[in-house]
Amino acid sequence: MAGTELWLTIVTVTGLITMLVGAYFALLKHDLKGLLAFSTVSHLGLICMLLGIGTQAAVIAAMFHIINHACFKAALFMTAGIIDHESGTRDMRKLQGLMGLMPLTATLAMVVAASMAGIPPFNGFISKELFLDQTAQQHLFGGLSWFIPVLATVGAALSVAYSIRFIHDVFFNGEYKELPKKPHDPPRMMSAPVALLALLCIVIGLAPMPIVSEILNSAVTAVTHSQTEVKLSLWHGFNIPLLMSAIAVVAGILIYIARDQLFTFNRQFDGQDAKHNFERLVQKASDASSRLFDKLDTGSLQRYMAFVLISVIVILLPSLIDISAITGSSPQQSIDTVSMVGAIVLIGAAFGTATLHRNRFVMLMMLSVVGLMVSLAFAHFSAPDLAMTQLVVEVVSIILMILALFFMPQKTNRASSGHRVFRDIIIASFIGGIVATLNFAILTTPAESISDFFIANAKTGGGGTNVVNVILVDFRGFDTLGEITVLAIAAAGIHKLLNKLKPFMPSSDVDGRPWHRIKHPLMLTNVANLVLPMAMVVAAYIFLRGHNLPGGGFIAGLIAASAMILQYVANGVDWVKERFNVNYQSLMSIGVMIAALTGLGSWLFNKPFLTSWFTYLDWPVVGKWEFATALLFDLGVFLTVIGATMMILSNFGKMTTRHRPTHEGN
Amino acid sequence: METLYSVTVGILTACSIFLILRGRSFPVVVGITMLSYAVNLFLFSTGRLTIDGAPILGTSDSYADPLPQALVLTAIVIGFAMTAYSIILAVRTRGEVGTDEVSDSNSEDNR
Amino acid sequence: MWQQHLAILPILIPLFTALLQLLPWGDRPQPKRRAIGLAASILTLVASAFLVIEVNSQEMLVYLLGNWDAPFGIVLMVDKLSAMMMLLTAILALPVLVYGCYSEDNLGSHFHALFQFQIMGIMGAFATGDLFNLFVFFEVLLISSYALLMHGGGKFRVRATLHYVLLNLLGSALFLISVGTLYGVTGTLNMADMAVKIQALSGDQAMIAKAGSLMLLVVFGLKAALLPLHFWLPQAYSTTSGVIAALFAIMTKVGIYSIIRVYTLIFGADANELALVAHDWLWVMGLLTMLAGAIGILAARDLRLMVAYLVVISVGTILTAYSLFSTQTTGAALFYLIHSTFITSALFLLADVMAFERGKTASRIVSGKKMANHSTYAVMFLVAAIAVIGLPPLSGFVSKLMILESASANGHNFWLWGAIIGATFIMLVAVTRAGSKMIWHTLSGKPSEQSAPLGKRIALASLLLVSLVITLFAHPIQQYTQSVADQLERTEDYPKWVLKAPEVSDE
């Protein structure tokens, strides 16, 4: 990533910020080692910044500064150690006037601190000059690039200030005061390394070339992958960097003199250290976020639903407003009586469902009227398959909901507040309005679609005259495969829900009457036994004719399943289990498998998945009859529907009996 | 006719949405079911309205668009699966949580 | 023969596997189901890998289901984006399934079958080139997720599932209305064909289609968890079992994929009156989503909830970047998508094993007792934190940098830069805070005696390893995502490929 503009900018800015923040904190620290630690951070920021600027000269400056920094910082840390060892404290508020007591240490410290501050003729001066020079030369921020050298000078000034503080606070600043121990210059073994490093600072400062050029050359070559000639010297003449240095020294002295103001200013923030402050800040932010969230996200589904719906309204309204006339160019058909009556009943029942929702049984009855009218609408507008399917699905759904109602409160007692009802009516009307608008706009636009293909090819390509069925099992058989998969997953999921269910089990009905003891009324038993074979024949008939006339696997499956459910109701689980012990889960799985395998069969003929094939065979008795692989596919649908429906209904029905669903299924 | 049809679908949708915004699981499930009816009517009508034109070859001169019918059939079945799952999930939730409220119990939402 | 049917294998393998796993299998069925499931996941992975190789050379695989010409039959349209997403899913699924095999699968019935159905649904959604078929596969993946989300049961989980289910049922209804509207105006369902038809629309018809397309944005936004449709996610992901949350790291990506697919191919730059209808919305919603996620991770008192909000941030980041609609940014966003999927998934698993070993304090962000595998988790947390926050040198850093860099050319970049860097800073604060409380400041006393099974730890480690591998192979992966973005931009090629794809004729 290095080498790209962005990278450089990020690194430079990060380095700059680190340098300034580090230097500022270094100045504020009362602990000698604390001062040095933050100063180290600051110098690392400086080096980082140089690497970010990234020119060859900058890299040289960075490498050189690493060496110089190592010299003076190591010496300073050792000095701090000596002072601590000798006097028993590192607190600059307690230390003062040590010059008279430990003159050698003080002299050495002054040399290395001057190097850190970037005072000539020490080595720190050279690398700091190089650094300032680089900041003045970069153009990372176009017309705003000047702020980098300005801030760099500020950093340099701070560095001068804390260097002065290190020396002045400890060794001067008045007479010696009582300390835990009375300090002296340390034994020679302790001051020797400091002296050596201080010497190095002077020597490198005076004669940089012979000492470090070799090391720098190899380091820079490694970093920049190119040969370079390092040129270093103490004196560059009067130039911008020198001016910046001078400003930094003067400003640093002024900052040091005004340091008490700075400490006072800073004292208002603490009592504690920065880390603590930061943690408190984070805690505050976190608490505030929590409160904000509790307000926004109440864990209320109602609110989430409202958000979704309001999003729809907000996002869609502009484009709907842009429609100049929603009436398209197609003429409207005239309204016939059947449609009128149907629509009125449908609307009435819909309102009934919505307004009577607090009596749940009534609500369900209203819903079933809605479903019935929808089914009639399909029948009226030339969709017999849809009408039949809607009808059987409707029956099974309502049965399921009534069963569910057994475990649910039968009534909602509290009413919503008027304000909320009003809001909900507004949202509902908007959504209803949007849907109606879109619907009307589409209905009055002339139709142009790919459907002519299906009508033209249903017989010749798919082998059936019921075009809807041919689309389902052939043209778009993949949808149907997905659909029965959904049904199978739902059945498995419902089984999963039920076998760990601790139902809320009422012992009496809503008015307090206990449930009737008679389990299997005789009348019902007889009817059920009669209905089953009949229903099976009807199912078989509807199934077989599905390819050519309204019908098909789905409807047939639901009819067969309903008849079987009747057996459970009439005769009980034990009776049914004795007679046909089918594992519905396997049946459903095998059903989907048959459908999928039918699709897979076309691979044998090198055709894509679900490619159909049909022929006409002479069957005994019935005569010539079409056989299509689509029929096999539909058989899969049929079995899946029976298996899944039975798995759902029988497991749910069994909740009230001793045959509770188990982990593995039956 | 087209006006009547779309107004009916719109009202059916609005009633369903009103139920969906209730604070108890059962009305919400009923609302979702009713919404699926409305949506099916909507999707069905994208093939426009045709009377006496069932797409059974050989029974008519002009057939209704069969494709939306097939789509709606798929949607009905999927809707059935979803209704069944959600209603039983509502029962299970009531069994475990002890209430059928679908909103936070302290807020004004839970009516 | 396999080559020819390659596109459909990642859908069919999980389907048949799930169906097999639904069969009884005798007295001790679980070991057999595990074996079948693992074998199938490996096969799916192999097939998906071949798919990526194949599209890399052939550009696109078009599979005519039932051998019917497009746009009449349903087609699978596996381009580079689809193949990438499918491979991503397959790679993710394997370690997650291994994790699940360590008795997570005994917490409720049908874990394995539902897992495979889930994969099938996701794969189908990525592969299909038909808008209604996309709806069907959405339903497959949703119904599986409904069942998996409540796996293991419990009060909070079941309640969160109920909310998730009802909200998504509303979403499905809206999906059908949008599909109906678009069919009503264009008369087709095939995406490539629809793209052609949309270009020809004008006037009021275009406005109707626009309404349909924007409703679709709400639907996909709900799946992707875009503000203000994201509220289901934190609740659902933080209450479900760890293994399911880890698998669901890919779920929001299905929403993101659908947005990219539909708003590039159908309503992209070439759509005349409907060109880029969604991008302004995506831009605003994406930025706000990042903000919501950032507030969320600060507010989170539980590690799992925090990871859930990290997912929200990643969604915001990807979609904001995508909304700039430049190939470079999209390529970078896709790289970030790969990275964020794996790392959030790994974090969910890590939170899970940590919660298990911490015992009573579970995944709450408070000091707890030392865990049995404390140092292992400390290292894992460190790696995951570096990656997810986006610190150098791991994949998060690389991908965020790529997004920032690619966005530089765009006029909006100040906001995106601010948002990404701001979110990164907040992530840094929040995640390190969680780590220091849960890992470094443990209570004194005996460490926990509960130790997560080695297999779980290995599964988790391998997910983290994937993250490292992404960093290592950043360059070739970046090249691939860039080529994905380049291909997406050439929308005019899609109708050529899809509508001209030849039927297989008789020999």
Side-chain angles (χ1 to χ4, degrees):
Chain A
M1 279 300 145
T4 63
E5 190 84 348
L6 178 69
W7 167 252
L8 298 178
T9 313
I10 288 181
V11 173
T12 309
V13 173
T14 314
L16 182 63
I17 294 170
T18 314
M19 182 180 81
L20 288 172
V21 172
Y24 181 70
F25 278 107
L27 185 58
L28 290 179
K29 285 284 151 188
H30 301 303
D31 179 352
L32 280 177
K33 282 200 173 155
L35 183 153
L36 294 176
F38 274 99
S39 142
T40 309
V41 169
S42 173
H43 281 271
L44 287 180
L46 185 158
I47 292 163
C48 193
M49 201 174 152
L50 279 172
L51 291 174
I53 293 173
T55 58
Q56 203 163 50
V59 175
I60 293 172
M63 294 294 152
F64 189 39
H65 195 69
I66 289 175
I67 295 171
N68 295 337
H69 180 251
C71 293
F72 62 69
K73 197 50 69 64
L76 282 166
F77 267 111
M78 282 186 236
T79 310
I82 289 170
I83 292 167
D84 189 16
H85 177 81
E86 287 297 319
S87 66
T89 180
R90 299 193 309 255
D91 191 333
M92 279 181 279
R93 284 167 301 190
K94 293 184 189 147
L95 295 162
Q96 63 185 47
L98 296 189
M99 183 64 192
L101 295 166
M102 36 201 321
L104 175 63
T105 312
T107 314
L108 292 176
M110 277 185 258
V111 172
V112 284
S115 174
M116 172 160 83
I119 310 286
F122 307 111
N123 60 350
F125 170 72
I126 307 180
S127 52
K128 186 159 280 186
E129 289 278 277
L130 288 175
F131 161 70
L132 293 172
D133 186 33
Q134 283 306 310
T135 61
Q137 284 186 20
Q138 52 71 39
H139 298 287
L140 288 169
F141 297 91
L144 288 175
S145 301
W146 53 265
F147 83 89
I148 298 232
V150 169
L151 291 177
T153 313
V154 173
L158 287 169
S159 146
V160 170
Y162 64 69
S163 303
I164 298 178
R165 184 170 185 215
F166 189 98
I167 300 303
H168 188 259
D169 273 21
V170 175
F171 298 106
F172 303 99
N173 204 16
E175 286 302 301
Y176 165 73
K177 263 190 332 195
E178 196 57 35
L179 287 172
K181 285 198 290 187
K182 188 159 173 148
H184 301 281
D185 266 329
R188 212 161 280 162
M189 281 310 290
M190 267 176 97
S191 48
V194 182
L196 188 69
L197 288 167
L199 187 66
L200 216 52
C201 285
I202 301 170
V203 174
I204 297 178
L206 294 175
M209 283 305 284
I211 302 188
V212 291
S213 65
E214 207 47 44
I215 313 170
L216 274 185
N217 262 334
S218 62
V220 172
T221 309
V223 171
T224 60
H225 302 292
S226 60
Q227 279 298 328
T228 123
E229 201 53 39
V230 177
K231 284 231 161 42
L232 301 169
S233 64
L234 188 59
W235 181 246
H236 290 94
F238 291 99
N239 54 11
I240 297 283
L242 189 68
L243 179 65
M244 289 161 77
S245 267
I247 294 174
V249 171
V250 174
I253 294 169
L254 290 176
I255 292 174
Y256 178 70
I257 291 169
R259 69 189 181 282
D260 282 338
Q261 260 92 26
L262 202 64
F263 293 159
T264 323
F265 169 75
N266 209 56
R267 205 163 295 133
Q268 64 184 333
F269 298 112
D270 55 25
Q272 306 103 350
D273 57 330
K275 185 172 153 248
H276 213 90
N277 276 338
F278 183 67
E279 253 167 36
R280 257 205 336 215
L281 187 70
V282 170
Q283 188 65 42
K284 264 194 194 151
S286 167
D287 290 344
S289 309
S290 280
R291 277 196 301 279
L292 181 65
F293 255 65
D294 290 346
K295 266 200 195 133
L296 259 175
D297 183 358
T298 52
S300 155
L301 177 68
Q302 270 178 300
R303 193 171 275 218
Y304 304 162
M305 291 280 196
F307 274 130
V308 175
L309 294 166
I310 292 170
S311 306
V312 172
I313 298 170
V314 170
I315 295 184
L316 255 68
L317 274 188
S319 59
L320 289 180
I321 290 169
D322 282 348
I323 298 179
S324 51
I326 56 168
T327 314
S329 52
S330 304
Q332 287 212 41
Q333 304 169 41
S334 56
I335 300 174
D336 55 297
T337 332
V338 186
S339 309
M340 194 69 213
V341 173
I344 289 170
V345 176
L346 184 55
I347 291 171
F351 273 121
T353 318
T355 50
L356 302 174
H357 71 92
R358 280 189 289 126
N359 188 330
R360 296 181 174 182
F361 191 74
V362 175
M363 169 168 65
L364 278 188
M365 289 305 102
M366 287 292 169
L367 178 69
S368 69
V369 175
V370 173
L372 187 68
M373 296 321 291
V374 169
S375 161
L376 288 178
F378 288 144
H380 187 59
F381 295 110
S382 317
D385 279 284
L386 283 188
M388 288 168 75
T389 313
Q390 170 68 31
L391 198 64
V392 278
V393 163
E394 166 76 12
V395 171
V396 180
S397 308
I398 295 287
I399 290 177
L400 208 58
M401 288 197 181
I402 291 176
L403 267 174
L405 205 50
F406 179 75
F407 302 105
M408 298 288 269
Q410 320 274 310
K411 288 190 169 130
T412 308
N413 291 322
R414 284 184 296 169
S416 304
S417 66
H419 157 242
R420 176 160 295 273
V421 169
F422 182 70
R423 186 202 79 172
D424 292 349
I425 289 177
I426 298 283
I427 294 178
S429 318
F430 262 107
I431 299 286
I434 288 174
V435 171
T437 310
L438 286 175
N439 197 358
F440 183 76
I442 292 168
L443 279 175
T444 51
T445 307
E448 217 177 283
S449 108
I450 52 174
S451 292
D452 296 339
F453 175 89
F454 301 123
I455 292 170
N457 287 280
K459 182 78 181 154
T460 49
T465 53
N466 181 357
V467 187
V468 175
N469 186 273
V470 177
I471 294 177
L472 282 174
V473 296
D474 198 336
F475 295 116
R476 296 184 70 89
F478 200 51
D479 276 347
T480 309
L481 183 65
E483 156 204 323
I484 57 175
T485 309
V486 168
L487 199 59
I489 303 169
I494 286 169
H495 175 237
K496 187 184 177 73
L497 278 173
L498 288 175
N499 68 34
K500 287 262 177 68
L501 174 62
K502 299 179 281 293
F504 191 90
M505 189 90 82
S507 59
S508 59
D509 73 1
V510 63
D511 296 321
R513 287 178 298 239
W515 295 101
H516 206 288
R517 286 281 120 208
I518 297 179
K519 285 259 162 68
H520 314 300
L522 184 67
M523 182 68 177
L524 186 60
T525 312
N526 286 339
V527 171
N529 292 351
L530 216 77
V531 161
L532 183 66
M534 258 168 60
M536 288 300 168
V537 172
V538 171
Y541 171 70
I542 287 186
F543 170 75
L544 283 174
R545 68 172 217 163
H547 215 42
N548 292 310
L549 291 167
F554 184 79
I555 301 167
L558 269 187
I559 290 174
S562 313
M564 284 160 74
I565 279 298
L566 202 57
Q567 292 294 318
Y568 276 96
V569 178
N571 294 312
V573 179
D574 294 305
W575 189 92
V576 182
K577 260 204 135 101
E578 269 168 42
R579 281 162 186 80
F580 38 88
N581 191 9
V582 187
N583 183 335
Y584 297 123
Q585 189 178 314
S586 302
L587 184 67
M588 148 187 118
S589 158
I590 289 167
V592 183
M593 237 184 268
I594 290 177
L597 283 172
T598 309
L600 218 52
S602 45
W603 286 12
L604 297 176
F605 304 95
N606 253 329
K607 293 286 176 62
F609 190 68
L610 283 173
T611 306
S612 66
W613 172 84
F614 65 93
T615 184
Y616 294 90
L617 297 176
D618 266 323
W619 298 75
V621 190
V622 262
K624 199 170 153 192
W625 195 270
E626 174 223 355
F627 175 80
T629 51
L631 197 69
L632 212 55
F633 183 84
D634 220 10
L635 178 68
V637 176
F638 176 70
L639 295 179
T640 311
V641 171
I642 295 183
T645 315
M646 292 306 292
M647 195 168 155
I648 296 169
L649 283 173
S650 71
N651 277 325
F652 197 25
K654 279 190 240 165
M655 291 308 298
T656 55
T657 71
R658 58 191 177 79
H659 301 272
R660 299 285 293 277
T662 58
H663 188 76
E664 267 303 310
N666 42 346
Chain B
M1 179 74 90
E2 277 73 8
T3 313
L4 181 69
Y5 190 94
S6 47
V7 167
T8 311
V9 171
I11 290 176
L12 192 53
T13 310
C15 292
S16 323
I17 297 291
F18 181 77
L19 281 177
I20 287 172
L21 289 169
R22 299 302 89 210
R24 304 294 189 111
S25 58
F26 197 79
V28 176
V29 173
V30 171
I32 295 268
T33 309
M34 198 156 90
L35 181 62
S36 77
Y37 294 165
V39 168
N40 288 342
L41 282 176
F42 180 92
L43 186 58
F44 168 69
S45 72
T46 58
R48 315 302 189 262
L49 301 176
T50 314
I51 296 180
D52 295 329
I56 312 287
L57 296 181
T59 58
S60 168
D61 301 329
S62 72
Y63 300 109
D65 186 345
L67 185 56
Q69 296 195 17
L71 303 186
V72 172
L73 251 173
T74 306
I76 290 178
V77 180
I78 289 177
F80 167 63
M82 295 299 168
T83 304
Y85 187 84
S86 56
I87 189 74
I88 291 173
L89 179 62
V91 171
R92 166 97 186 234
T93 309
R94 196 207 176 193
E96 296 222 12
V97 183
T99 163
D100 65 336
E101 287 172 11
V102 287
S103 54
D104 169 42
S105 46
N106 299 323
S107 74
E108 207 260 328
D109 285 351
N110 56 357
R111 311 288 160 79
Chain C
M1 174 164 153
W2 299 113
Q3 205 100 1
Q4 181 192 342
H5 302 294
L6 193 58
I8 201 174
L9 285 181
I11 302 171
L12 288 184
I13 296 170
L15 171 64
F16 277 104
T17 314
L19 293 172
L20 281 176
Q21 285 169 332
L22 277 179
L23 297 178
W25 295 104
D27 285 339
R28 293 187 59 241
Q30 206 67 304
K32 293 165 201 157
R33 291 195 179 127
R34 284 176 187 162
I36 300 172
L38 288 171
S41 291
I42 293 171
L43 273 182
T44 313
L45 178 57
V46 172
S48 310
F50 271 114
L51 215 43
V52 169
I53 296 171
E54 201 69 8
V55 292
N56 220 5
S57 59
Q58 286 191 26
E59 294 289 306
M60 154 128 40
L61 294 181
V62 176
Y63 192 78
L64 301 175
L65 285 151
N67 209 14
W68 295 107
D69 273 335
F72 307 111
I74 297 173
V75 294
L76 300 184
M77 175 180 84
V78 180
D79 63 351
K80 288 182 178 175
L81 176 63
S82 303
M84 178 188 109
M85 298 303 293
M86 289 163 94
L87 182 60
L88 179 65
T89 311
I91 296 176
L92 181 75
L94 193 57
V96 174
L97 183 60
V98 170
Y99 188 94
C101 284
Y102 285 87
S103 56
E104 293 285 328
D105 49 1
N106 290 328
L107 297 177
S109 24
H110 306 307
F111 176 86
H112 287 285
L114 290 169
F115 190 97
Q116 297 293 338
F117 278 131
Q118 180 76 68
I119 301 296
M120 171 206 175
I122 295 171
M123 292 290 190
F126 289 149
T128 189
D130 185 285
L131 205 54
F132 189 79
N133 197 237
L134 180 66
F135 166 78
V136 172
F137 276 110
F138 259 64
E139 297 303 302
V140 172
L141 73 89
L142 281 173
I143 186 86
S144 319
S145 73
Y146 299 162
L148 283 175
L149 204 58
M150 51 72 58
H151 182 71
K155 189 171 156 179
F156 296 106
R157 197 171 289 179
V158 173
R159 207 177 112 100
T161 309
L162 183 68
H163 288 190
Y164 172 78
V165 169
L166 294 176
L167 212 52
N168 273 300
L169 287 179
L170 177 61
S172 299
L174 295 175
F175 198 157
L176 280 179
I177 296 178
S178 336
V179 173
T181 307
L182 292 174
Y183 174 78
V185 183
T186 62
T188 187
L189 293 167
N190 182 293
M191 294 182 195
D193 192 33
M194 194 177 278
V196 178
K197 299 273 161 61
I198 288 284
Q199 285 171 24
L201 288 185
S202 62
D204 285 351
Q205 294 217 10
M207 286 304 123
I208 300 171
K210 187 175 174 187
S213 79
L214 287 175
M215 196 183 284
L216 216 45
L217 181 65
V218 176
V219 176
F220 295 151
L222 182 66
K223 306 298 190 255
L226 258 186
L227 189 102
L229 313 165
H230 71 286
F231 286 102
W232 59 270
L233 186 142
Q235 216 192 19
Y237 281 30
S238 63
T239 53
T240 189
S241 58
V243 61
I244 298 306
L247 176 65
F248 282 16
I250 191 77
M251 290 283 276
T252 53
K253 274 62 182 187
V254 181
I256 293 175
Y257 162 85
S258 309
I259 288 175
I260 295 180
R261 168 65 74 226
V262 167
Y263 298 103
T264 309
L265 175 56
I266 306 180
F267 305 102
D270 299 333
N272 292 332
E273 289 200 23
L274 295 181
L276 308 182
V277 281
H279 284 76
D280 286 345
W281 291 106
L282 281 174
W283 167 249
V284 176
M285 286 161 82
L287 281 176
L288 290 176
T289 308
M290 286 169 77
L291 180 68
I295 297 175
I297 56 169
L298 271 182
R301 299 276 189 262
D302 187 289
L303 184 59
R304 293 148 57 86
L305 193 60
M306 182 179 283
V307 183
Y309 278 110
L310 288 172
V311 174
V312 174
I313 293 184
S314 76
V315 169
T317 310
I318 296 168
L319 287 177
T320 314
Y322 167 68
S323 76
L324 296 181
F325 210 71
S326 85
T327 39
Q328 274 80 27
T329 331
T330 305
L334 290 173
F335 188 103
Y336 182 79
L337 183 150
I338 299 176
H339 144 79
S340 70
T341 306
F342 286 114
I343 198 64
T344 47
S345 180
L347 273 167
F348 275 122
L349 290 188
L350 182 60
D352 195 50
V353 284
M354 280 171 57
F356 175 73
E357 294 196 5
R358 279 158 58 92
K360 231 168 52 193
T361 49
S363 53
R364 274 178 295 137
I365 303 178
V366 290
S367 303
K369 58 181 171 185
K370 218 167 151 71
M371 294 167 282
N373 301 295
H374 201 85
S375 42
T376 317
Y377 298 152
V379 173
M380 285 180 172
F381 193 92
L382 187 69
V383 173
I386 289 175
V388 80
I389 297 168
L391 297 180
L394 294 184
S395 47
F397 175 73
V398 178
S399 50
K400 279 188 179 174
L401 202 60
M402 277 160 56
I403 293 181
L404 292 179
E405 211 169 357
S406 61
S408 310
N410 200 295
H412 291 307
N413 66 46
F414 171 73
W415 287 97
L416 183 64
W417 272 58
I420 289 184
I421 292 173
T424 305
F425 176 70
I426 291 175
M427 280 154 93
L428 178 68
V429 170
V431 175
T432 40
R433 186 158 162 260
S436 79
K437 280 198 174 160
M438 296 177 77
I439 292 179
W440 279 273
H441 292 161
T442 48
L443 303 176
S444 51
K446 270 196 307 183
S448 157
E449 279 162 21
Q450 284 179 313
S451 167
L454 181 63
K456 277 191 176 178
R457 280 177 276 146
I458 292 177
L460 165 56
S462 55
L463 258 184
L464 277 176
L465 203 65
V466 175
S467 255
L468 298 183
V469 169
I470 294 174
T471 317
L472 231 51
F473 291 95
H475 189 60
I477 295 176
Q478 186 207 6
Q479 278 182 328
Y480 185 82
T481 56
Q482 202 51 57
S483 76
V484 171
D486 290 339
Q487 185 186 38
L488 280 173
E489 197 193 25
R490 283 178 278 128
T491 46
E492 68 281 2
D493 287 348
Y494 282 72
K496 276 185 231 156
W497 276 318
V498 173
L499 302 178
K500 305 250 158 61
E503 284 180 30
V504 178
S505 57
D506 295 300
E507 277 107 84

